[in-house]
């Protein structure tokens, strides 16, 4: 099976749904506040494309093209579902709460990715224990903040599509965080014992 660099794979995974859904969203009166959750969905994946291109540091490993495209279809499918969904009624308080959680989640996710990208000098293969930000409490704050962002998004966009995407995201990042947490504890005998995998003080 054809393979591409991990960076290219991540750009495909996040870029394909971004392009497909941008065409849908931009045809749905993008300046209306009711369309903001759809624009927020695009903003997240635009951020992910930029991070994949210029922030993340990948090794030499390669990934199957089919896997990247399969992920793009999965995520893009949710985006199409969201773009075509009718949102239920939402109060100003719920919308603002959702907006606040979404913004905190996106900013926290971006900061955590930046910390991870700067853990070691360029070209170095030495692994180190992440520190700074919410890394003081959990092994994978980037996953915690991603789930928080999609919770906020689901609050802003009452629909089966947004709720299903939030649940799917939690299942995915939760599993990845538990695996990464176990790997950290195995690699570093002095790994902080108080750290949880993804949710501070809980999981």
């Amino acid at each position: 099976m054809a393979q591409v660099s991990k960076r290219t794979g991540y750009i495909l995974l996040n870029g394909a749904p971004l392009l497909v859904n941008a065409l849908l969203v931009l045809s749905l009166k993008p300046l209306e506040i009711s369309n903001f959750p759809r624009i927020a969905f695009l903003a997240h994946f635009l951020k992910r494309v930029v991070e994949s291109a210029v922030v993340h540091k990948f090794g030499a490993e390669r990934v199957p093209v089919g896997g990247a495209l399969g992920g793009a279809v999965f995520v893009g499918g949710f985006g199409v579902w969201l773009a075509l969904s009718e949102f239920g009624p939402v109060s100003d308080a719920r919308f603002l709460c959702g907006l606040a959680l979404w913004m905190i989640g996106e900013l926290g996710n971006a900061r955590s990715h930046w910390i991870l990208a700067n853990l070691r000098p360029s070209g170095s293969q030495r692994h180190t224990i992440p520190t700074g930000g919410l890394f003081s409490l959990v092994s994978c704050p980037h996953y915690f903040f991603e789930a928080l962002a999609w919770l906020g998004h689901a609050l802003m966009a009452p629909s089966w599509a947004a709720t299903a995407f939030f649940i799917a995201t939690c299942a995915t990042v939760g599993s990845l965080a538990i695996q990464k947490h176990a790997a950290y504890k195995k690699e570093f005998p002095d790994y902080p014992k108080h750290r949880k995998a993804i949710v501070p003080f809980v999981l």
Side-chain angles (χ1 to χ4, degrees), residues 19 65 127 135 174:
L19 292 175
V65 173
H127 290 181
F135 281 104

Side-chain angles (χ1 to χ4, degrees), residues 6-15 45-58 113:
K6 202 167 184 179
R7 187 181 305 279
T8 300
Y10 268 71
I11 291 174
L12 283 174
L13 172 62
N14 294 289
F45 286 99
L46 176 60
K47 177 180 79 72
R48 296 295 290 118
V49 167
V50 172
E51 288 175 334
S52 298
V54 301
V55 176
H56 294 325
K57 293 180 181 177
F58 299 104
H113 283 156

Side-chain angles (χ1 to χ4, degrees), residues 98-123:
L99 177 61
L101 290 176
W102 180 77
M103 292 181 67
I104 292 170
E106 292 294 339
L107 291 172
N109 178 260
R111 186 183 181 216
S112 299
H113 283 156
W114 182 260
I115 291 173
L116 285 173
N118 289 278
L119 274 180
R120 56 184 184 236
S122 180

Side-chain angles (χ1 to χ4, degrees), residues 122-171:
S122 180
S124 172
Q125 297 299 313
R126 185 173 65 89
H127 290 181
T128 58
I129 298 175
T131 58
L134 206 61
F135 281 104
S136 62
L137 296 177
V138 296
S139 294
C140 300
H142 47 306
Y143 291 147
F144 170 78
F145 282 118
E146 181 154 357
L148 187 69
W150 291 117
L151 172 60
H153 183 266
L155 290 175
M156 289 190 290
S159 63
W160 285 110
T163 301
F165 193 73
F166 168 63
I167 293 172
T169 296
C170 287

